[in-house]
Amino acid sequence: MWLEDPVPPDNIEAMARVTHALNVPVCTGENLYTRQGFRQLCTMQATSGVHIDIPKSGGLFEAKRIADFADLYGIWTACHNPASAVGTIASAHAAASVRNFRVHELAGGRDQWTFDMVTHEGPFFDKGYFVIQDKPGLGIDLNKDVVMAHLAPGESWWG
């Protein structure tokens, strides 16, 4: 689908040369932070797609702003997502609000308990697509018993 991070992401000039020389789309950005981290990448059109890691990039609103900025330069958005079910759901909500969204990476094979820790009406996936709930917020609730069973040592329930 694309060549990911063909050069270190902080070397924007080299990324631009590679992107402009290939007939294969280039995608980068999962290790960039905030709009400032993506600004020169987009203005130099040094990538075909921005691969936003929503929690690391500054959260839901900042990711939306990055995607909208990239769209000004004809650059599409993909979401990097090595997260739990909560992170996946939040990331999918952000992706659904993006006009130039192309694909959402999933942490396939992650522990099932990360999906058991949330309540979700119906299946998480239907015909290869993530199902976004038509409910307030992220459309989920935490399953306290599952969360408590997987707290890090020394942590306590905060809810």
Side-chain angles (χ1 to χ4, degrees), residues 68-88:
D68 288 344
F69 184 71
D71 187 49
L72 291 173
Y73 294 90
I75 298 169
W76 45 264
T77 297
C79 292
H80 177 252
N81 179 47
S84 69
V86 176
T88 297

PDB file of all heavy atoms in Angstrom, residues 68-88:
ATOM      1  N   ASP A  68      -6.140  17.906   8.560  1.00  0.00           N
ATOM      2  CA  ASP A  68      -6.685  19.008   7.765  1.00  0.00           C
ATOM      3  C   ASP A  68      -5.563  19.810   7.097  1.00  0.00           C
ATOM      4  O   ASP A  68      -5.681  20.219   5.940  1.00  0.00           O
ATOM      5  CB  ASP A  68      -7.541  19.930   8.634  1.00  0.00           C
ATOM      6  CG  ASP A  68      -8.861  19.308   9.035  1.00  0.00           C
ATOM      7  OD1 ASP A  68      -9.274  18.296   8.427  1.00  0.00           O
ATOM      8  OD2 ASP A  68      -9.486  19.824   9.986  1.00  0.00           O
ATOM      9  N   PHE A  69      -4.464  20.014   7.813  1.00  0.00           N
ATOM     10  CA  PHE A  69      -3.318  20.723   7.246  1.00  0.00           C
ATOM     11  C   PHE A  69      -2.726  19.926   6.087  1.00  0.00           C
ATOM     12  O   PHE A  69      -2.440  20.473   5.015  1.00  0.00           O
ATOM     13  CB  PHE A  69      -2.278  20.981   8.338  1.00  0.00           C
ATOM     14  CG  PHE A  69      -1.112  21.799   7.869  1.00  0.00           C
ATOM     15  CD1 PHE A  69      -1.259  23.150   7.595  1.00  0.00           C
ATOM     16  CD2 PHE A  69       0.132  21.219   7.696  1.00  0.00           C
ATOM     17  CE1 PHE A  69      -0.185  23.912   7.152  1.00  0.00           C
ATOM     18  CE2 PHE A  69       1.214  21.968   7.253  1.00  0.00           C
ATOM     19  CZ  PHE A  69       1.059  23.319   6.981  1.00  0.00           C
ATOM     20  N   ALA A  70      -2.554  18.617   6.290  1.00  0.00           N
ATOM     21  CA  ALA A  70      -2.009  17.762   5.224  1.00  0.00           C
ATOM     22  C   ALA A  70      -2.903  17.812   3.985  1.00  0.00           C
ATOM     23  O   ALA A  70      -2.405  17.846   2.847  1.00  0.00           O
ATOM     24  CB  ALA A  70      -1.865  16.329   5.725  1.00  0.00           C
ATOM     25  N   ASP A  71      -4.205  17.833   4.190  1.00  0.00           N
ATOM     26  CA  ASP A  71      -5.156  17.862   3.077  1.00  0.00           C
ATOM     27  C   ASP A  71      -4.968  19.110   2.214  1.00  0.00           C
ATOM     28  O   ASP A  71      -5.194  19.067   1.001  1.00  0.00           O
ATOM     29  CB  ASP A  71      -6.583  17.788   3.627  1.00  0.00           C
ATOM     30  CG  ASP A  71      -7.617  17.655   2.534  1.00  0.00           C
ATOM     31  OD1 ASP A  71      -7.449  16.788   1.642  1.00  0.00           O
ATOM     32  OD2 ASP A  71      -8.606  18.423   2.559  1.00  0.00           O
ATOM     33  N   LEU A  72      -4.546  20.209   2.809  1.00  0.00           N
ATOM     34  CA  LEU A  72      -4.287  21.429   2.032  1.00  0.00           C
ATOM     35  C   LEU A  72      -3.220  21.192   0.966  1.00  0.00           C
ATOM     36  O   LEU A  72      -3.175  21.885  -0.043  1.00  0.00           O
ATOM     37  CB  LEU A  72      -3.823  22.569   2.946  1.00  0.00           C
ATOM     38  CG  LEU A  72      -4.850  23.142   3.912  1.00  0.00           C
ATOM     39  CD1 LEU A  72      -4.182  24.126   4.861  1.00  0.00           C
ATOM     40  CD2 LEU A  72      -5.982  23.806   3.147  1.00  0.00           C
ATOM     41  N   TYR A  73      -2.354  20.203   1.190  1.00  0.00           N
ATOM     42  CA  TYR A  73      -1.254  19.908   0.280  1.00  0.00           C
ATOM     43  C   TYR A  73      -1.483  18.613  -0.498  1.00  0.00           C
ATOM     44  O   TYR A  73      -0.558  18.078  -1.104  1.00  0.00           O
ATOM     45  CB  TYR A  73       0.070  19.847   1.065  1.00  0.00           C
ATOM     46  CG  TYR A  73       0.431  21.204   1.619  1.00  0.00           C
ATOM     47  CD1 TYR A  73      -0.006  21.592   2.881  1.00  0.00           C
ATOM     48  CD2 TYR A  73       1.153  22.108   0.858  1.00  0.00           C
ATOM     49  CE1 TYR A  73       0.291  22.853   3.374  1.00  0.00           C
ATOM     50  CE2 TYR A  73       1.455  23.372   1.337  1.00  0.00           C
ATOM     51  CZ  TYR A  73       1.014  23.735   2.601  1.00  0.00           C
ATOM     52  OH  TYR A  73       1.303  24.994   3.081  1.00  0.00           O
ATOM     53  N   GLY A  74      -2.706  18.110  -0.481  1.00  0.00           N
ATOM     54  CA  GLY A  74      -3.031  16.907  -1.235  1.00  0.00           C
ATOM     55  C   GLY A  74      -2.459  15.641  -0.628  1.00  0.00           C
ATOM     56  O   GLY A  74      -2.256  14.650  -1.333  1.00  0.00           O
ATOM     57  N   ILE A  75      -2.201  15.675   0.657  1.00  0.00           N
ATOM     58  CA  ILE A  75      -1.609  14.539   1.370  1.00  0.00           C
ATOM     59  C   ILE A  75      -2.704  13.839   2.166  1.00  0.00           C
ATOM     60  O   ILE A  75      -3.431  14.476   2.919  1.00  0.00           O
ATOM     61  CB  ILE A  75      -0.474  15.019   2.295  1.00  0.00           C
ATOM     62  CG1 ILE A  75       0.631  15.667   1.449  1.00  0.00           C
ATOM     63  CG2 ILE A  75       0.061  13.875   3.151  1.00  0.00           C
ATOM     64  CD1 ILE A  75       1.678  16.414   2.254  1.00  0.00           C
ATOM     65  N   TRP A  76      -2.811  12.516   2.000  1.00  0.00           N
ATOM     66  CA  TRP A  76      -3.830  11.748   2.699  1.00  0.00           C
ATOM     67  C   TRP A  76      -3.357  11.350   4.087  1.00  0.00           C
ATOM     68  O   TRP A  76      -2.181  11.501   4.429  1.00  0.00           O
ATOM     69  CB  TRP A  76      -4.270  10.525   1.899  1.00  0.00           C
ATOM     70  CG  TRP A  76      -3.191   9.709   1.281  1.00  0.00           C
ATOM     71  CD1 TRP A  76      -2.742   9.807  -0.019  1.00  0.00           C
ATOM     72  CD2 TRP A  76      -2.401   8.683   1.881  1.00  0.00           C
ATOM     73  NE1 TRP A  76      -1.738   8.900  -0.239  1.00  0.00           N
ATOM     74  CE2 TRP A  76      -1.504   8.197   0.906  1.00  0.00           C
ATOM     75  CE3 TRP A  76      -2.361   8.118   3.151  1.00  0.00           C
ATOM     76  CZ2 TRP A  76      -0.583   7.185   1.159  1.00  0.00           C
ATOM     77  CZ3 TRP A  76      -1.450   7.107   3.407  1.00  0.00           C
ATOM     78  CH2 TRP A  76      -0.584   6.651   2.421  1.00  0.00           C
ATOM     79  N   THR A  77      -4.297  10.832   4.881  1.00  0.00           N
ATOM     80  CA  THR A  77      -4.029  10.485   6.280  1.00  0.00           C
ATOM     81  C   THR A  77      -4.242   9.000   6.521  1.00  0.00           C
ATOM     82  O   THR A  77      -5.212   8.420   6.035  1.00  0.00           O
ATOM     83  CB  THR A  77      -4.969  11.281   7.213  1.00  0.00           C
ATOM     84  OG1 THR A  77      -4.684  12.664   7.071  1.00  0.00           O
ATOM     85  CG2 THR A  77      -4.790  10.876   8.662  1.00  0.00           C
ATOM     86  N   ALA A  78      -3.328   8.423   7.275  1.00  0.00           N
ATOM     87  CA  ALA A  78      -3.476   7.080   7.822  1.00  0.00           C
ATOM     88  C   ALA A  78      -3.257   7.197   9.331  1.00  0.00           C
ATOM     89  O   ALA A  78      -2.556   8.100   9.788  1.00  0.00           O
ATOM     90  CB  ALA A  78      -2.449   6.129   7.214  1.00  0.00           C
ATOM     91  N   CYS A  79      -3.872   6.309  10.086  1.00  0.00           N
ATOM     92  CA  CYS A  79      -3.694   6.348  11.535  1.00  0.00           C
ATOM     93  C   CYS A  79      -2.840   5.181  11.993  1.00  0.00           C
ATOM     94  O   CYS A  79      -3.163   4.025  11.724  1.00  0.00           O
ATOM     95  CB  CYS A  79      -5.046   6.293  12.241  1.00  0.00           C
ATOM     96  SG  CYS A  79      -6.025   7.768  12.001  1.00  0.00           S
ATOM     97  N   HIS A  80      -1.754   5.505  12.678  1.00  0.00           N
ATOM     98  CA  HIS A  80      -0.919   4.493  13.328  1.00  0.00           C
ATOM     99  C   HIS A  80      -1.585   4.174  14.657  1.00  0.00           C
ATOM    100  O   HIS A  80      -2.025   5.067  15.358  1.00  0.00           O
ATOM    101  CB  HIS A  80       0.481   5.070  13.562  1.00  0.00           C
ATOM    102  CG  HIS A  80       1.387   4.146  14.288  1.00  0.00           C
ATOM    103  ND1 HIS A  80       1.760   4.361  15.582  1.00  0.00           N
ATOM    104  CD2 HIS A  80       2.006   3.007  13.888  1.00  0.00           C
ATOM    105  CE1 HIS A  80       2.578   3.394  15.961  1.00  0.00           C
ATOM    106  NE2 HIS A  80       2.739   2.557  14.950  1.00  0.00           N
ATOM    107  N   ASN A  81      -1.675   2.885  14.993  1.00  0.00           N
ATOM    108  CA  ASN A  81      -2.456   2.536  16.177  1.00  0.00           C
ATOM    109  C   ASN A  81      -1.963   1.262  16.851  1.00  0.00           C
ATOM    110  O   ASN A  81      -2.493   0.196  16.603  1.00  0.00           O
ATOM    111  CB  ASN A  81      -3.923   2.380  15.788  1.00  0.00           C
ATOM    112  CG  ASN A  81      -4.780   1.989  16.958  1.00  0.00           C
ATOM    113  OD1 ASN A  81      -4.682   2.573  18.022  1.00  0.00           O
ATOM    114  ND2 ASN A  81      -5.613   0.992  16.781  1.00  0.00           N
ATOM    115  N   PRO A  82      -0.958   1.375  17.720  1.00  0.00           N
ATOM    116  CA  PRO A  82      -0.542   0.209  18.489  1.00  0.00           C
ATOM    117  C   PRO A  82      -1.235   0.178  19.846  1.00  0.00           C
ATOM    118  O   PRO A  82      -0.632  -0.163  20.860  1.00  0.00           O
ATOM    119  CB  PRO A  82       0.963   0.449  18.640  1.00  0.00           C
ATOM    120  CG  PRO A  82       1.052   1.936  18.768  1.00  0.00           C
ATOM    121  CD  PRO A  82      -0.039   2.482  17.879  1.00  0.00           C
ATOM    122  N   ALA A  83      -2.495   0.549  19.889  1.00  0.00           N
ATOM    123  CA  ALA A  83      -3.188   0.828  21.147  1.00  0.00           C
ATOM    124  C   ALA A  83      -4.153  -0.283  21.569  1.00  0.00           C
ATOM    125  O   ALA A  83      -4.430  -1.214  20.824  1.00  0.00           O
ATOM    126  CB  ALA A  83      -3.951   2.141  21.013  1.00  0.00           C
ATOM    127  N   SER A  84      -4.685  -0.094  22.746  1.00  0.00           N
ATOM    128  CA  SER A  84      -5.725  -0.970  23.280  1.00  0.00           C
ATOM    129  C   SER A  84      -7.039  -0.686  22.561  1.00  0.00           C
ATOM    130  O   SER A  84      -7.101   0.164  21.668  1.00  0.00           O
ATOM    131  CB  SER A  84      -5.906  -0.698  24.773  1.00  0.00           C
ATOM    132  OG  SER A  84      -6.486   0.588  24.958  1.00  0.00           O
ATOM    133  N   ALA A  85      -8.085  -1.337  22.992  1.00  0.00           N
ATOM    134  CA  ALA A  85      -9.408  -1.093  22.409  1.00  0.00           C
ATOM    135  C   ALA A  85      -9.826   0.363  22.589  1.00  0.00           C
ATOM    136  O   ALA A  85     -10.389   0.971  21.678  1.00  0.00           O
ATOM    137  CB  ALA A  85     -10.445  -2.023  23.024  1.00  0.00           C
ATOM    138  N   VAL A  86      -9.548   0.939  23.738  1.00  0.00           N
ATOM    139  CA  VAL A  86      -9.928   2.342  23.974  1.00  0.00           C
ATOM    140  C   VAL A  86      -9.188   3.242  22.992  1.00  0.00           C
ATOM    141  O   VAL A  86      -9.793   4.127  22.370  1.00  0.00           O
ATOM    142  CB  VAL A  86      -9.653   2.762  25.435  1.00  0.00           C
ATOM    143  CG1 VAL A  86      -9.951   4.240  25.636  1.00  0.00           C
ATOM    144  CG2 VAL A  86     -10.485   1.923  26.400  1.00  0.00           C
ATOM    145  N   GLY A  87      -7.893   3.024  22.821  1.00  0.00           N
ATOM    146  CA  GLY A  87      -7.130   3.817  21.861  1.00  0.00           C
ATOM    147  C   GLY A  87      -7.601   3.606  20.437  1.00  0.00           C
ATOM    148  O   GLY A  87      -7.676   4.536  19.646  1.00  0.00           O
ATOM    149  N   THR A  88      -7.946   2.368  20.105  1.00  0.00           N
ATOM    150  CA  THR A  88      -8.448   2.049  18.763  1.00  0.00           C
ATOM    151  C   THR A  88      -9.767   2.771  18.508  1.00  0.00           C
ATOM    152  O   THR A  88      -9.966   3.369  17.447  1.00  0.00           O
ATOM    153  CB  THR A  88      -8.632   0.532  18.604  1.00  0.00           C
ATOM    154  OG1 THR A  88      -7.354  -0.089  18.725  1.00  0.00           O
ATOM    155  CG2 THR A  88      -9.247   0.176  17.264  1.00  0.00           C
TER     156      THR A  88
END
